[in-house]
Amino acid sequence: MLLSIAGLGQGVIIKTHYSLGLMGPACCTKPCMMSACETRQTRPALVLLDLSAAFDTVDHNILLRRLEHTYQLGGVVLEWFRSYLVGRRQHMRTSSSTSAPAFITCGVPQGSVLGPILFLLYTADLLSLIERHGFIPHLYADDTQMW
């Protein structure tokens, strides 16, 4: 994820960029922002979040739980989504060899009609999370702005 912060420090606009890899569940945006602001003695004016390969980050199990509990889907409808996501495999092919197929546990099919919709359902709580921490959010697909 790329985190960009534009802030005001003694009347000068300061831009800071962080590249956050897969750091586990303890890593979140707010501590990174606060650290950047303390280091540079700035107040953020705008924060841009860009989740790299966003559609590939959707965990199937979490998405299915959200569909069931948050959106109250069940029965045949939930099983249809489960069959759409679970059991998918992929392999890599070069001109001279092909890898063994591997099961995919994350990601929604790109280029599909359902992919963007499932991503938005997966990340819908981000809006309230941002607001709860005192920021004003603007979300468009996988791009997030906070100020």
Side-chain angles (χ1 to χ4, degrees), residues 34 39 49 60 106 115:
M34 300 314 288
T39 302
L49 300 177
H60 296 164
C106 292

Side-chain angles (χ1 to χ4, degrees), residues 91-99:
H91 66 274
M92 296 293 293
R93 184 182 336 183
T94 65
S95 60
S96 60
S97 64
T98 301
S99 70

Side-chain angles (χ1 to χ4, degrees), residues 1-8 14-20 23 26-50 126 129-131 133-137 144-147:
M1 174 173 66
L2 178 65
L3 170 64
S4 299
I5 300 173
L8 299 174
I14 300 171
K15 295 181 182 176
T16 306
H17 301 282
Y18 291 89
S19 182
L20 308 173
M23 299 175 152
C27 176
C28 70
T29 303
K30 189 172 181 185
C32 293
M33 286 175 36
M34 300 314 288
S35 172
C37 294
E38 289 170 5
T39 302
R40 300 279 208 140
Q41 296 181 345
T42 63
R43 295 190 52 132
L46 176 65
V47 177
L48 305 171
L49 300 177
D50 182 28
L126 184 58
L129 178 68
I130 292 169
E131 289 173 337
H133 285 89
F135 295 98
I136 299 169
T144 304
Q145 299 174 3
M146 301 184 296
W147 59 88

Side-chain angles (χ1 to χ4, degrees), residues 75-95:
V76 175
V77 175
L78 186 62
E79 288 308 312
W80 183 81
F81 279 109
R82 188 179 318 280
S83 71
Y84 182 71
L85 295 169
V86 177
R88 300 174 69 86
R89 298 184 308 167
Q90 70 180 16
H91 66 274
M92 296 293 293
R93 184 182 336 183
T94 65
S95 60

Side-chain angles (χ1 to χ4, degrees), residues 96-132:
S96 60
S97 64
T98 301
S99 70
F103 281 100
I104 302 170
T105 59
C106 292
V108 292
Q110 296 183 29
S112 67
V113 173
L114 281 178
I117 295 169
L118 291 173
F119 178 78
L120 291 175
L121 293 173
Y122 182 75
T123 59
D125 287 346
L126 184 58
L127 183 65
S128 61
L129 178 68
I130 292 169
E131 289 173 337
R132 191 168 52 237

